[in-house]
Amino acid sequence: MVIQSAINYNVDIHILDPDPNTPCKDIAAKFVQGKLTDFDAVYNFGKDCDVITIEIEHVNTEALTQLEKEGKKVFPQPHIIKLIQDKREQKQFYLKNNISTAEFILTDSKAEVQRHLDFLPAVNKLGKEGYDGRGVQVILDEADMQKAFEAPSLLEKLVDFEKEIAVIVARNERGEMTAFPPVECVFHPVANLVEFLFSPAEISGSISAQAIETAQSVIQKLDMVGLLAVEMFVTREGKILVNEIAPRPHNSGHHTIEANFTSQFEQHLRSVMNMPLGDTGIRSAAAMVNLLGEDGYTGEAMVEGLDEALSEKGIYIHLYGKKITKPFRKMGHVTILEEDIEELKNKAKKYKDRIKIKA
Ligand SMILES: Nc1ncnc2c1ncn2[C@@H]1O[C@H](COP(=O)(O)OP(=O)(O)O)[C@@H](O)[C@H]1O
Ligand SMILES: [Mg+2]
């Protein structure tokens, strides 16, 4: 989706990806297959580029640092990617910088988690390499303790939140900054993935302003150039706690392609290329539904239920070109534009139930 934006500016995008059949390979100016965690693969790939950026933070930051030393523009800056790769470092960064976040303890083993019965209910999170809910375990009581991670992790107080929201901010080299209006994320109860997203979030003006201010303060304190998604909890007392951050286009910004004046993908490109940032204003209220691989189906992907959606006003289908579906794999998304909020919610539910990815 970043490439789709880049095409409009005659910018050539080269891609490094471990999957030889990565869907974007046919629209990239150049495609190199290689491991993102491998020093040589990343370094050799980056040597031919003018500006280097990422779409996944699990990448070899030593190679990126070397490229940066040799004068390449690497955004977000490698030391920031490194910090964000580790949820433990992220949390310590919030503490140091007075950014409100849920209380936590660092742990290194299951046995160590088990010693903190008095800290429950809590959430145990892997320090590194968790994503889309893999690497997060809710621990309510002693019985749940067996789910604890046998690895460097953190134990965080379970937040009884009212809503989960996200704000995507962008910053270019000149220090210009923008924020997309807060969105509301509704998570799948089992898969821990965003099931529905609504824009704008139904929150008060003052909470919205606080959320934007928080996200802007995070990107400024990081002194980061690029796009940063800031996931937050709104507590029942109306307080904002930062959950986690992602230094790239994010699931909570997919709707911006149709629903905002500038999409997050274009904003990402603009920020890392030091172009003027685009207007983030809302064109229409919107919902976004992830199209996840249906549970119980693995194999060549088939889409069910598209025809009805296509005949309805304001529905935009995005299929990612992944050949193989697996349970809960992100295969695409649907954006729905609708000003009437009740109707918007109905349509989101309706098309989530009707469009299925099976094998
Ligand atoms: N401290 C917490 N209290 C309550 N729910 C949480 C907490 N931390 C995470 N969660 C839930 O788990 C989801 C995934 O956690 P997160 O840290 O964002 O991991 P991931 O990297 O998988 O997105 C969150 O979006 C939220 O729904
Ligand atoms: Mg998350």
Side-chain angles (χ1 to χ4, degrees), residues 105-120 122 124 139 141-151 153-155:
I105 303 170
L106 298 180
T107 55
D108 283 298
S109 66
K110 192 179 220 173
E112 207 184 329
V113 174
Q114 284 168 333
R115 281 200 288 276
H116 293 290
L117 251 186
D118 55 340
F119 198 73
L120 303 187
N124 188 205
I139 304 196
D141 52 27
E142 198 170 353
D144 284 344
M145 284 287 200
Q146 35 111 3
K147 294 191 277 183
F149 294 113
E150 191 63 75
S153 61
L154 63 98
L155 194 63

Side-chain angles (χ1 to χ4, degrees), residues 87 132-133 164 187 231 243-244 250:
K87 284 197 165 129
D132 285 351
E164 286 197 72
F187 280 76
E231 298 179 14
N243 173 31
E244 63 158 348
H250 190 253

Side-chain angles (χ1 to χ4, degrees), residues 217-247:
S217 109
V218 175
I219 199 168
Q220 268 175 324
K221 282 174 177 160
L222 286 168
D223 195 19
M224 182 186 137
V225 171
L227 193 77
L228 184 75
V230 182
E231 298 179 14
M232 296 174 250
F233 299 123
V234 181
T235 68
R236 303 206 179 269
E237 297 79 44
K239 246 188 94 178
I240 288 194
L241 301 174
V242 171
N243 173 31
E244 63 158 348
I245 55 180

